[in-house]
Amino acid sequence: MAAGQPPAKRRRRDPALRIEEITAATERVIAERGIEGLTHRAVAAEAGVPLGATTYHFATKDDLIAAALRRSVDRFGAYLDEWVARRPGLTAEQCAVLLADAVLPPDDGPERDQQMVEFELYVAAMRRPALREIAEEHHRLSVRALAHYADADTAEAAGAALMGVSLRALAAPVPPTRAEIERVLLRILVPNPALGAREEGEQ
């Protein structure tokens, strides 16, 4: 620095941006290493920030997990809102067909990583009661979207089925085929006249 020149001002970082960078890095670490491999040091290295920055904003590992879960659920909600807005008049049959297309992740890539992170975080809530309300919001968002195309009970059943099918698609040695998923969704979403007749006969 030349004589007589004022000292350069340190550039202040936007705290909100720093938090977003750390949270996004947390998701990437989980995608690569799972919850077991998540540490402040790994997140700091992934985000390219000092270790002290992660511990300053997120005191514990559970704080990192909660932030990542919140980010994941918010992203999922925005995706569902857009999905419904683009398909306002679907019949139950059409909904089942399109959901079957949407639920299967690709063999590799960012979309599959994102789904794996979502389930890692969802399972983490089993042992962390403080996360359960955020995790449950994931299911409520699915049911809210499905309620545009089915009654409340059917939407609840379809939401649970989608969760199970998605998990199986990621974890099974041979994932379900698209046709298998479509049959499951059609069975749930489309009224079954035979079932209705049986219920009437039992009354």
Side-chain angles (χ1 to χ4, degrees), residues 110-195:
E111 186 178 342
R112 184 179 182 85
D113 287 348
Q114 182 176 313
Q115 287 197 20
M116 290 179 65
V117 169
E118 288 175 359
F119 278 107
E120 286 269 6
L121 293 167
Y122 204 86
V123 172
M126 291 172 57
R127 298 185 180 277
R128 295 169 172 83
L131 302 181
R132 291 175 186 171
E133 182 58 32
I134 308 175
E136 177 62 14
E137 189 175 339
H138 187 284
H139 175 68
R140 289 198 298 263
L141 288 168
S142 294
V143 173
R144 185 185 72 179
L146 289 162
H148 288 83
Y149 312 109
D151 63 84
D153 289 342
T154 301
E156 186 76 29
L162 284 172
M163 175 69 76
V165 165
S166 298
L167 181 57
R168 183 183 169 210
L170 290 170
V174 179
T177 66
R178 188 205 163 281
E180 289 172 337
I181 295 172
E182 183 178 326
R183 285 198 298 272
V184 169
L185 293 173
L186 283 170
R187 177 62 63 89
I188 295 171
L189 290 170
V190 178
N192 186 336
L195 179 61

Side-chain angles (χ1 to χ4, degrees), residues 86-110:
R86 291 171 57 189
R87 301 165 177 84
L90 294 181
T91 64
E93 290 88 347
Q94 291 170 332
C95 184
V97 170
L98 291 174
L99 284 174
D101 289 330
V103 74
L104 276 177
D107 292 336
D108 199 8

